[in-house]
Amino acid sequence: MAMIDELARNFAAADIEGKKIPLATLETKGLIPDSFEQSMDAQRAFVAAIGKSVDGWKLAIRPDGTAIAAPMVDCYSVTDDKLATFPAKGIEGLEVEICVTLASDIPASGDTPLTRDDILGFIDKVYLGAELLGYRLVEKNQVPFPLFLADRLANQGFVIGPQIDATVIDNFARESAPFSQLTITEGTTTLFDAKVKHPNIDPLAPLVAFANAPLNKGGMLNRGQVITTGSLCGAIPTALTALTAIDLASVGSFVLKTKH
């Protein structure tokens, strides 16, 4: 655990000081995780070292089918006028996503797999959301994947946007949504304007997969947390220096505003 704690201290210092760590520095110190278990231990120590709590989880399925998770901190919600305001520090990118909140804790993976219908029973509400990206590594995500996972998959924060109709999830899963045009504008600049789909087709697929994965040891996916499972637009580089409007046609819209 000494290596895990030292890696977490390096990440925490970079996060607090607004600096980035070169991969070579961590390699020289022998601080590269060699398993996803070590990565997730480092995540937990990282969050503890910066004195924050886990507000939610970013879930994904690797190309080999392995389900992984990264804790999200600094989650913000839109106001009644669909505006979210948050600090600009450390923001380097944006992803627009479909997310859910949990009505109850999801237990550790067990001998009997949870089905998609089982998972639906744990979900409270469905929202349009935006992940705020920020890297603690000079090379960003161009590092050994376990190290990128330890860096919380570049999570810098998350915005819980407007609540949307729960049928949106099934529409995406069936690829039958007639409302898949996503437009993102930052000031007068269009960052993205195209039809979209979820990278796993079904927005619930990563949640089902991680709930049943060995890495889900319980005490992780908890009531009230927000769960997000993949970008509809990929990672868009931006520091959000101007008002940023997000509109998923016929689904929902909201605006992001940073403060300095």
Side-chain angles (χ1 to χ4, degrees):
M1 288 298 291
M3 182 275 282
I4 297 300
D5 291 338
E6 179 62 19
L7 176 59
R9 284 192 291 269
N10 276 257
F11 277 143
D15 188 77
I16 293 167
E17 297 168 12
K19 297 180 179 179
K20 295 188 189 299
I21 312 167
L23 172 61
T25 297
L26 297 178
E27 289 177 327
T28 299
K29 294 179 177 180
L31 298 180
I32 309 299
D34 58 16
S35 69
F36 293 163
E37 287 84 359
Q38 284 191 340
S39 300
M40 296 189 69
D41 286 342
Q43 292 173 353
R44 285 188 283 272
F46 178 8
V47 172
I50 58 177
K52 295 185 177 179
S53 59
V54 176
D55 293 333
W57 292 89
K58 175 179 182 177
L59 307 182
I61 300 174
R62 295 280 293 154
D64 66 359
T66 302
I68 54 171
M72 299 194 300
V73 301
D74 295 329
C75 290
Y76 310 91
S77 296
V78 293
T79 56
D80 290 341
D81 57 358
K82 298 183 181 178
L83 173 69
T85 304
F86 44 85
K89 180 185 174 183
I91 297 174
E92 301 176 71
L94 173 72
E95 295 182 352
V96 176
E97 312 186 347
I98 302 295
C99 60
V100 301
T101 51
L102 296 181
S104 56
D105 299 354
I106 297 179
S109 60
D111 294 334
T112 303
L114 294 171
T115 67
R116 187 180 190 276
D117 284 343
D118 292 331
I119 292 299
L120 282 170
F122 290 98
I123 291 174
D124 183 15
K125 297 174 182 176
V126 182
Y127 298 86
L128 191 58
E131 184 183 5
L132 310 175
L133 302 177
Y135 304 84
R136 273 63 60 170
L137 298 164
V138 170
E139 293 84 1
K140 298 184 177 180
N141 62 344
Q142 301 303 304
V143 296
F145 185 78
L147 181 61
F148 181 50
L149 180 58
D151 190 28
R152 306 199 326 259
L153 298 177
N155 176 255
Q156 184 68 20
F158 194 83
V159 174
I160 303 171
Q163 184 179 348
I164 59 177
D165 195 303
T167 59
V168 168
I169 286 181
D170 288 335
N171 287 339
F172 267 90
R174 292 192 298 265
E175 295 188 275
S176 61
F179 40 67
S180 53
Q181 189 77 20
L182 174 63
T183 304
I184 307 171
T185 56
E186 182 179 349
T188 59
T189 301
T190 299
L191 300 181
F192 188 90
D193 189 19
K195 292 185 180 299
V196 295
K197 64 180 181 179
H198 190 276
N200 300 107
I201 307 302
D202 182 0
L204 289 187
L207 178 53
V208 175
F210 186 76
N212 292 306
L215 289 172
N216 174 22
K217 301 182 184 301
M220 298 176 64
L221 306 174
N222 296 329
R223 179 180 181 272
Q225 289 180 336
V226 59
I227 307 295
T228 194
T229 63
S231 176
L232 303 180
C233 55
I236 299 175
T238 175
L240 299 178
T241 56
L243 280 177
T244 300
I246 296 168
D247 179 67
L248 185 59
S250 299
V251 175
S253 63
F254 60 112
V255 176
L256 309 178
K257 180 182 180 181
T258 57
K259 55 185 179 182
H260 297 269

